[in-house]
Amino acid sequence: MTTTPRIRVLLADDQRLVRAGFRSILEDEDDIEVVGEAATGTEAVALARQTRPDVVLMDIRMPEMDGLAATEAIVADERLADVRVVILTTFDVDDYVYGALRAGASGFLVKDTEPMELLHGIRVCARGDALIAPAITRRLIAEFASRKARQPEPSPRLNALTEREREVMGLVGAGLTNDEIARRLVLSPATAKTHVSRIMTKLDVRDRAQLVILAYESGMITPGWLS
């Protein structure tokens, strides 16, 4: 009898009670396994290298090394290329979240999220998708992109995209799901998904969250671009 591999999760939060709460929720699930707990960013990076989890639930504010720096360290480690980082925050809009997404995080969760949303988020990230709800994408990324003083930096990598792919990438950046993109461009959902996958491959980005960031930072789209 073949068993489905369990999703390996590393918890990184400086509050023991918070970690215990998350562990209690996750250990009730047959397909999820908690492989370690870290109380500092330094510990999170070390344990990620030791345990090779599928998903790291990363608090932003931690001693020694904060969650942003720890995320950068994990994403930069080629040995951890398959590890996905989900940022934990006490606010649905946090000044550090945009930086965390730029650093390579696959999304974020609010700490008081419902257990079912937490479990769904972990499963979404474990399969390689970005954990940013479309509505949050539009509000969060637009807000922080609009604060950036510097001019957009056109990326030569975008030259590899076809006109259709640039159109699809712009819609991803605006927060549309594959199904919404398919309806807007009169495509099948499977075709929309294929376009997104090809774009990610051409641009060498980890996931959908990185496409959103690149779309804004390259000037491909701007806040409020899609009405």
Side-chain angles (χ1 to χ4, degrees), residues 9-84:
V9 178
L10 172 63
L11 305 175
D13 193 294
D14 62 339
Q15 298 183 46
R16 182 176 298 178
L17 285 177
V18 172
R19 298 198 308 271
F22 283 134
R23 177 182 281 273
S24 176
I25 294 170
L26 300 183
E27 289 187 336
D28 282 342
E29 301 301 306
D30 294 335
D31 63 333
I32 297 176
E33 173 187 5
V34 176
V35 297
E37 295 185 19
T40 70
T42 303
E43 288 181 4
V45 175
L47 280 174
R49 290 169 176 159
Q50 178 183 333
T51 63
R52 305 291 177 90
D54 298 302
V55 176
V56 179
L57 291 182
M58 180 81 73
D59 186 26
I60 287 183
R61 296 176 178 85
M62 289 188 293
E64 295 183 14
M65 177 189 292
D66 65 23
L68 178 56
T71 297
E72 291 176 336
I74 290 172
V75 171
D77 193 329
E78 294 182 356
R79 297 167 297 178
L80 304 178
D82 294 329
V83 177
R84 295 292 178 261

Side-chain angles (χ1 to χ4, degrees), residues 111-133:
K111 281 189 177 181
D112 61 358
T113 190
E114 294 295 324
M116 291 305 296
E117 293 179 5
L118 171 67
L119 297 170
H120 171 72
I122 289 172
R123 292 175 178 127
V124 164
C125 282
R127 65 174 181 253
D129 294 330
L131 180 60
I132 311 179

Side-chain angles (χ1 to χ4, degrees), residues 161-177:
L161 302 182
T162 66
E163 285 301 315
R164 173 62 86 184
E165 288 169 344
R166 291 174 69 90
E167 190 173 14
V168 170
M169 181 174 170
L171 295 174
V172 171
L176 272 64
T177 65

Side-chain angles (χ1 to χ4, degrees), residues 192-211:
K193 181 178 181 180
T194 297
H195 278 310
V196 174
S197 296
R198 287 177 178 170
I199 293 167
M200 290 171 57
T201 298
K202 285 185 176 182
L203 300 182
D204 190 27
V205 296
R206 288 168 61 94
D207 56 29
R208 201 179 189 93
Q210 296 304 291
L211 280 185

Side-chain angles (χ1 to χ4, degrees), residues 178-193:
N178 288 344
D179 286 346
E180 290 171 334
I181 292 171
R183 288 194 294 271
R184 191 175 184 92
L185 300 181
V186 194
L187 305 170
S188 70
T191 299
K193 181 178 181 180

